[in-house]
Amino acid sequence: MSLCPAHGVSPTGCPVSQRAADFDPFGDGYQQDPPDYLRWSREQEPVFYSPQLGYWVVTRYADIQAIFRDHHTFSPSIALEKITPTGEAANAVLASYGFALNRTLVNEDEPAHMPRRRALMEPFTPAALQQHEPLVRELARAYVDRFIDDGRADLVDQLLWEVPLTVALHFLGVPEEDMDTLRRYSIAHTVNTWGRPKPEEQVAVAHAVGNFWQYAGQVLDKMRQDPDAPGWMQYGLRKQRELPDVVTDSYLHSMMMAGIVAAHETTANATANALKLLLQHPGIWRELCEDASLIPNAVEECLRHNGSVAAWRRLATKAVQVGGVDIPAGAKLLIVTSSANHDERHFADADAVDIRRANASEHLTFGYGAHQCMGKNLARMEMQVFLEELTRRLPHMRLAEQQFTYVPNTSFRGPEHLWVEWDPARNPERADAAVLQAKATVRIGEPSGQAITRSVLVQRVDRVAEGIVRLRLVAPDGRPLPRWAPGAHIDVACGDTGLSRQYSLCGDPADAQALEIAVLREAASRGGSAFLHGVQPGDRLRIRGPRNHFRLDEAAPALVFVAGGIGITPIAAMARRARALGIPYQLHYSGRRRAAMAFVEELVALHGDRLRLHITEEGGRHDLAALLRQPVPGTQVYACGPLRMVQALEAATAHWPEDALHVEHFESTIGTLDPSREHAFEVELRDSGITVPVHADQTLLAALRGANIDVQSDCEEGLCGSCEVRVLAGAIDHRDVVLTRSEREAGQRMMSCCSRACDGRLVLAL
Ligand code: FES
């Protein structure tokens, strides 16, 4: 980075680098691809002063999340301020309309903001949003009907603008008329707030914005005649009766106008961005066409990779450091969330489009914390419906040749047009009318990891011991499968049995073409292992993962591996890895009969005298107490096997350093929730500024989701660790098998799917 006073100095007197001086959020580079345009900044100068803009620009995930988290120090009050001040003529025009857009949920400070947010939240919860899905689907179908036989369409003009607008109007409770006028108004509003209209355009923009303002006021007056009608604004009017000081007239007028823009424009842009991205990756588009269950997470990945909100703005209310850089009081910050969404420190292989990405929904496109977008779940639902309708009815659609253009502004992004084309003769519904009526289940709220599956082909089935088969699974199209590390497992759906079983991967992690599992036929199988013993080469299976909550500590000075029976599968992969890394290790493998123990010959060949076999029928007995009598500092013990063996190991290592023993759990020890034995408690969410009750008959995870808070989840049985939340205060009743003893005792983390509060209250960093 070149630092030179010739490029100017920041308000703190630091020289500005060449690239910071050149930063232009209205130029083509930023407009076309903000994360790529700011790659240099994420890597070299994650917080810099832009003399052209007069803003401090922040580009890394952790810094931006910390800014969202502290909404007192980083005030949102400038979030809707014009980024380029308008001239006097335009201001006079705005004044002539009585334009007085005031604070809204987006840009108001405490203490006013949170009481309003709480008062108006209810209609946005997943339960309340459910009722809107039929309308979204009906509209999407009707609009697609209009162009399905044309072979060519501009999806922005012919679908994506009008449907979210109509949905937004319904949601807000606004009459449907004047749609074209509204469309013009909301474009003008974007340019007025976030863009840089030329002086000669400013007056025209100001007239449109003034008209929009007046229109919003008239509609609100109409609504006052019938405040019991459905709609969010009417809900606000009813709340006004209860809380007149919180939900004021001027507030409702401002929300009316801002709500129309926020509710539809961002969704239209987000869907256009998503479709553009997916159609640019035809392999991914095909996968979605073949498997609609992938759509909810694909929506999150599109929002992460190419969301419709590129950046937000904040005002520093006091002198503060961001990412180690001094920011003076009163400084304006441009926090580029689209850049944070491509930060390799948070998202592995961040530039890749991965619709199965486990943490895709951690994107910051909806913001985070107290000012997170309230309409996020409405937007998610609409995007899912659009993708589902289009993948089913137009799977053969492709992007037409075109130049993408964007309305120049720093924050809201989406192509003005999205031309697609297809051969109508190949429309699936011409051959089969049932295509028209099919629909997948839309997931309202945070996508669950349980929905992310992939199809694999059984390439080989080998019998590796009595009652044990090894399955070699490959991608149907021959592409590489996801990378995995020893200890990882996959979940396999067992045909139509409705059962899913977890199996550790036992092959070679370096072999990207295949995943291998070994399956023991359980005597008391409810259908899972029996089903897998019946599969043949050429069959297809559905799997989830690989996922890993049994990771090997590759920095350990020495390792002891203990496997019982089929528990050898993860342990075999770990021991191979220890050998490759040159870590001293011992491998203990016990079983009743040699013929029923998998991989014995391979293990002997690979591990030589580091392997000890303990075979009951041959007089062997595994004396764990003797093996582990003498604790060895630093040595880590990894074990997988029957419950009795695990319990014996826990007893044998009780005097070892804490956390020396690592056990693979496949079965949850938590039963179903029994409300008669639980107590209700409440959780204060420090970052979001709300308190959520958790009833005796619900999990913390369910309560958080019901309150519109995103938390990842997968197993929902305390096994995988994906629903972890940070705890700031309160005693935790831990019920998972993920955290170690010392992690539990530290009391700073908990699994929200199963663990609860010991007492009446917990404070969480959410
Ligand atoms: Fe797996 Fe909670 S979702 S531990």
Side-chain angles (χ1 to χ4, degrees), residues 16 24 180 214 222 240 448 451 552 559 600 641 686 690 712 718 720 754:
V16 170
D24 176 10
D180 278 343
Q214 290 199 341
K222 248 190 264 176
Q240 190 179 36
S448 161
L552 185 65
L559 295 160
V600 171
R686 195 50 69 76
I690 53 172
Q712 300 261 334
C720 73
C754 58

Side-chain angles (χ1 to χ4, degrees), residues 336-405:
V336 189
T337 43
S338 53
S339 166
N341 289 340
H342 281 249
D343 187 344
E344 290 281 342
R345 291 155 201 81
H346 196 88
F347 298 104
D349 210 359
D351 290 339
V353 182
D354 176 2
I355 54 172
R356 295 181 178 84
R357 186 183 293 277
N359 66 345
S361 60
E362 288 174 11
H363 61 75
L364 296 176
T365 301
F366 293 131
Y368 174 83
H371 285 269
Q372 195 182 41
C373 169
M374 290 225 293
K376 65 186 177 184
N377 287 329
L378 183 57
R380 284 171 164 154
M381 182 235 283
E382 291 186 59
M383 291 177 74
Q384 286 179 47
V385 172
F386 284 132
L387 286 189
E388 207 232 298
E389 290 292 320
L390 291 170
T391 50
R392 201 179 66 251
R393 298 183 66 185
L394 287 170
H396 49 317
M397 169 171 95
R398 60 188 178 273
L399 280 180
E401 206 51 52
Q402 66 203 293
Q403 283 290 329
F404 293 105
T405 56

Side-chain angles (χ1 to χ4, degrees), residues 357-592:
R357 186 183 293 277
N359 66 345
S361 60
E362 288 174 11
H363 61 75
L364 296 176
T365 301
F366 293 131
Y368 174 83
H371 285 269
Q372 195 182 41
C373 169
M374 290 225 293
K376 65 186 177 184
N377 287 329
L378 183 57
R380 284 171 164 154
M381 182 235 283
E382 291 186 59
M383 291 177 74
Q384 286 179 47
V385 172
F386 284 132
L387 286 189
E388 207 232 298
E389 290 292 320
L390 291 170
T391 50
R392 201 179 66 251
R393 298 183 66 185
L394 287 170
H396 49 317
M397 169 171 95
R398 60 188 178 273
L399 280 180
E401 206 51 52
Q402 66 203 293
Q403 283 290 329
F404 293 105
T405 56
Y406 295 82
V407 175
N409 76 101
T410 55
S411 296
F412 286 176
R413 283 191 78 246
E416 290 181 288
H417 303 282
L418 183 67
W419 283 100
V420 291
E421 53 195 18
W422 64 94
D423 175 2
R426 289 176 50 219
N427 289 357
E429 59 208 51
R430 292 199 181 180
D432 179 4
V435 168
L436 268 175
Q437 292 316 318
K439 65 171 185 156
T441 311
V442 167
R443 183 175 171 94
I444 300 180
E446 170 88 5
S448 161
Q450 289 178 347
I452 307 170
T453 64
R454 73 174 68 236
S455 172
V456 287
L457 194 69
V458 179
Q459 190 186 52
R460 260 181 37 202
V461 180
D462 298 312
R463 186 173 174 280
V464 288
E466 276 176 15
I468 300 177
V469 290
R470 174 170 52 197
L471 306 183
R472 184 177 163 85
L473 311 171
V474 296
D477 56 6
R479 278 188 297 185
L481 287 164
R483 280 175 291 181
W484 60 280
H489 69 272
I490 55 173
D491 288 65
V492 184
C494 300
D496 299 329
T497 61
L499 297 170
S500 151
R501 290 283 176 266
Q502 296 183 330
Y503 293 98
S504 292
L505 293 169
C506 59
D508 179 359
D511 178 2
Q513 292 305 315
L515 298 172
E516 290 187 2
I517 55 172
V519 181
L520 168 70
R521 173 146 197 168
E522 309 271 359
S525 171
R526 284 192 289 135
S529 66
F531 167 80
L532 289 172
H533 270 251
V535 301
Q536 303 291 332
D539 287 351
R540 291 235 184 173
L541 294 175
R542 294 209 71 79
I543 65 165
R544 289 198 297 129
R547 293 173 301 143
N548 199 341
H549 45 82
F550 188 47
R551 281 186 187 279
L552 185 65
D553 176 0
E554 299 193 345
L559 295 160
V560 175
F561 297 111
V562 182
I566 193 66
I568 190 62
T569 49
I571 297 295
M574 285 182 158
R576 185 190 294 118
R577 179 72 180 153
R579 183 176 181 275
L581 291 173
I583 303 173
Y585 67 95
Q586 293 172 25
L587 170 56
H588 296 266
Y589 180 17
S590 53
R592 280 204 202 101

Side-chain angles (χ1 to χ4, degrees), residues 713-723 738 751 753:
S713 77
D714 196 332
C715 70
E716 302 196 4
E717 291 184 87
L719 294 169
C720 73
S722 56
C723 64
V738 178
M751 299 305 141
C753 68

